[in-house]
Amino acid sequence: MEKKMKKSFVFLPAVMLIVSACSGPDVSTRVTSSLSRGVLAVEQKVQGKAIIMTPNVEDITDKGFNIRYMELSFGSGVPESIRDLAIDQCESTGKVAVFMGNSRGLVQLNTVKAHYECREIQSS
């Protein structure tokens, strides 16, 4: 009986990991997309912060992407280098970057995930 229980404790986390990896955008991406109309990245508030982790572009879809980075301080803006990375990412597809929001952990020296959407350029 104990042997079956041990196997199930190993099997269950493996199944949960596989299912969560295939579930689509993470929770913070879905929340920021639903709560915000967004602001053009070229107009978003930036703050000079020390980045202590190389930024990663991830969760890329047709609609948007996340940039994960680690910084030394809390704040309401994102570093200029992150904003510029988002602008470049969308420009490569002929679209403009729109900052939708970010998610942060509760502890300093935390990982931050900034969510951007790429939208068609509207001509006047």
Side-chain angles (χ1 to χ4, degrees), residues 68-106:
R68 182 186 301 269
Y69 62 99
M70 187 176 279
E71 65 184 5
L72 285 172
S73 62
F74 288 112
S76 58
V78 298
E80 187 174 359
S81 61
I82 299 300
R83 180 202 61 192
D84 294 344
L85 180 60
I87 291 170
D88 292 344
Q89 178 75 21
C90 289
E91 280 181 351
S92 69
T93 63
K95 297 180 179 180
V96 295
V98 177
F99 176 67
M100 300 305 292
N102 54 20
S103 61
R104 301 172 185 271
L106 298 174

Side-chain angles (χ1 to χ4, degrees), residues 25-36:
D26 65 356
V27 173
S28 63
T29 301
R30 291 191 302 265
V31 169
T32 56
S33 291
S34 65
L35 294 178
S36 178

Side-chain angles (χ1 to χ4, degrees), residues 2 17-18 31 51 56 65 68 77 79-80 98 100-101 120:
E2 280 186 41
L17 178 64
I18 291 169
V31 169
I51 296 177
N56 262 348
F65 57 92
R68 182 186 301 269
E80 187 174 359
V98 177
M100 300 305 292
E120 295 292 330

Side-chain angles (χ1 to χ4, degrees), residues 10-26:
V10 172
F11 181 71
L12 184 60
V15 169
M16 290 175 60
L17 178 64
I18 291 169
V19 169
S20 66
C22 301
S23 64
D26 65 356

Side-chain angles (χ1 to χ4, degrees), residues 35-82:
L35 294 178
S36 178
R37 292 179 56 103
V39 61
L40 288 174
V42 295
E43 298 173 356
Q44 91 180 78
K45 179 180 179 181
V46 293
Q47 292 180 340
K49 298 176 186 171
I51 296 177
I52 57 175
M53 180 180 105
T54 303
N56 262 348
V57 178
E58 56 187 33
D59 303 325
I60 301 171
T61 66
D62 293 339
K63 192 173 182 185
F65 57 92
N66 292 319
I67 300 176
R68 182 186 301 269
Y69 62 99
M70 187 176 279
E71 65 184 5
L72 285 172
S73 62
F74 288 112
S76 58
V78 298
E80 187 174 359
S81 61
I82 299 300

